[in-house]
Amino acid sequence: MTTPDPVAPPPDTSHQELIDALVQASFATMAVLSRIAAEHDLSLTQLRVLAILRDRRIKMRDLAGYLGLDKSTISGLVDRAEKRGLLQRAPNPADGRAVDVFLTGAGVALADVGADLVARCLDPMTSRLTMAESRRLAALLARAFEI
Amino acid sequence: MTTPDPVAPPPDTSHQELIDALVQASFATMAVLSRIAAEHDLSLTQLRVLAILRDRRIKMRDLAGYLGLDKSTISGLVDRAEKRGLLQRAPNPADGRAVDVFLTGAGVALADVGADLVARCLDPMTSRLTMAESRRLAALLARAFEI
DNA sequence: TATTGTTATACTCTATAACTATA
DNA sequence: TATAGTTATAGAGTATAACAATA
């Protein structure tokens, strides 16, 4: 098998060190977020919903877009969160087919607690860096991920 | 409400920019990994199992430890992967209670494909950086997360 | 016709509790 | 007694397909 692969070239392995670090750091970050969510009887997805709706009123369809999930999944997520009193549905005034979702007071309060906890629980990681390093890391991540 | 909170001090907000970047980059990375897994009819957890077992034969209990999941969850995960022919169980020679798990040939092959795909699919992010920046980002992540 | 959302269905993921077998 | 693993159970997350209402 000395002929080159005609379909796809071999992957560039020069960034392998970064890829491993990104994957490991991401899993560690997700573990922190999942633990915070679980401590408040939320799934990671529900915590994301709170974060997304924290300062927005959006359509179900757009919530599905932000989360990258099917609309039927959103119906279930919103059902459960609504039953818990964290958010509400309301008809979209401009489109008779669409349904808006937005946080209740309790939802906003929980979203605030969550954001605060995320900052606290990631502090062991962030505080290992100087402020200059912290800014540099944030800038590199922003450039790599175009955020 | 001018009295300070007696329970916990307010979180240090100086690293907020980094926290936001970390969370967003982590979700983006997880989305890539989830898509790769889904394209091969794997869950993200199953893809992690393949990566963990790629060069190891370990006990069920240790697999639970790596994944941070309950042992009963591992039983189900291993059941399904075993049924698909990706891994095997075998008695642990040193402990009559323990069960080892290890990849089959098909499991190793799929783990290799997965690792290759992860590198390819994160290439849009990594290739936005110079090699010097890539090394610097990897080093900063490694230091923050102690990996 | 296309889009938005819901519902029914099926499967996976996950934890808790109860159990067996071994240390 | 403590540990390793399985099973039963229950609930959440997820997608697909079929459907109703609106654009």
Side-chain angles (χ1 to χ4, degrees):
Chain A
M1 299 277 270
T2 54
T3 53
D5 185 333
V7 177
D12 180 0
T13 58
S14 56
H15 292 281
Q16 193 58 47
E17 192 190 5
L18 173 56
I19 288 165
D20 292 343
L22 271 176
V23 170
Q24 289 204 53
S26 295
F27 274 119
T29 301
M30 286 299 140
V32 167
L33 299 184
S34 297
R35 183 170 52 71
I36 291 171
E39 280 169 4
H40 289 84
D41 282 307
L42 296 168
S43 69
L44 183 54
T45 306
Q46 300 271 11
L47 187 62
R48 280 184 85 183
V49 169
L50 292 183
I52 291 167
L53 295 183
R54 203 175 173 198
D55 49 10
R56 272 179 286 230
R57 166 184 176 133
I58 58 178
K59 294 190 282 186
M60 297 282 284
R61 188 211 179 240
D62 294 328
L63 186 53
Y66 281 122
L67 294 169
L69 299 172
D70 190 85
K71 56 189 179 172
S72 65
T73 300
I74 305 302
S75 286
L77 281 170
V78 169
D79 280 349
R80 289 183 288 273
E82 194 173 27
K83 220 166 275 176
R84 261 181 81 170
L86 297 176
L87 54 76
Q88 285 186 327
R89 282 173 165 100
N92 181 288
D95 186 336
R97 300 167 300 180
V99 172
D100 286 344
V101 265
F102 54 95
L103 296 187
T104 61
V108 172
L110 190 49
D112 289 346
V113 168
D116 185 284
L117 272 176
V118 169
R120 280 184 209 280
C121 295
L122 288 178
D123 189 67
M125 292 78 177
T126 58
S127 63
R128 286 191 191 106
L129 306 179
T130 66
M131 276 311 300
E133 290 171 328
S134 177
R135 278 189 292 269
R136 179 115 177 101
L137 176 50
L140 286 170
L141 286 173
R143 205 136 73 66
F145 287 88
E146 290 189 331
I147 52 182
Chain B
M1 295 277 271
T2 55
T3 53
D5 185 334
V7 175
D12 181 0
T13 57
S14 55
H15 292 281
Q16 193 58 47
E17 191 190 5
L18 173 55
I19 287 166
D20 291 343
L22 271 177
V23 170
Q24 288 205 53
S26 296
F27 274 119
T29 301
M30 286 299 141
V32 167
L33 299 184
S34 296
R35 182 171 53 74
I36 291 170
E39 280 169 4
H40 289 84
D41 282 307
L42 296 168
S43 68
L44 183 54
T45 306
Q46 299 271 12
L47 186 62
R48 280 184 85 182
V49 169
L50 292 183
I52 291 168
L53 295 183
R54 202 175 173 198
D55 49 10
R56 272 179 287 229
R57 167 185 175 130
I58 59 177
K59 294 190 281 187
M60 297 283 284
R61 186 209 180 243
D62 294 328
L63 185 54
Y66 281 122
L67 294 170
L69 299 172
D70 190 84
K71 56 189 179 173
S72 66
T73 300
I74 306 302
S75 286
L77 281 171
V78 169
D79 280 350
R80 288 183 289 273
E82 194 173 26
K83 220 166 276 174
R84 261 183 79 171
L86 298 176
L87 52 77
Q88 285 187 328
R89 282 172 164 101
N92 182 287
D95 187 337
R97 300 167 301 179
V99 173
D100 287 343
V101 264
F102 54 96
L103 296 186
T104 61
V108 172
L110 190 49
D112 289 346
V113 169
D116 185 282
L117 272 177
V118 169
R120 279 185 210 277
C121 295
L122 288 179
D123 188 67
M125 291 79 178
T126 58
S127 62
R128 285 190 191 107
L129 306 179
T130 66
M131 276 310 302
E133 290 170 328
S134 177
R135 278 190 292 268
R136 179 117 176 100
L137 176 51
L140 285 169
L141 286 173
R143 204 136 73 65
F145 287 87
E146 289 189 332
I147 51 181

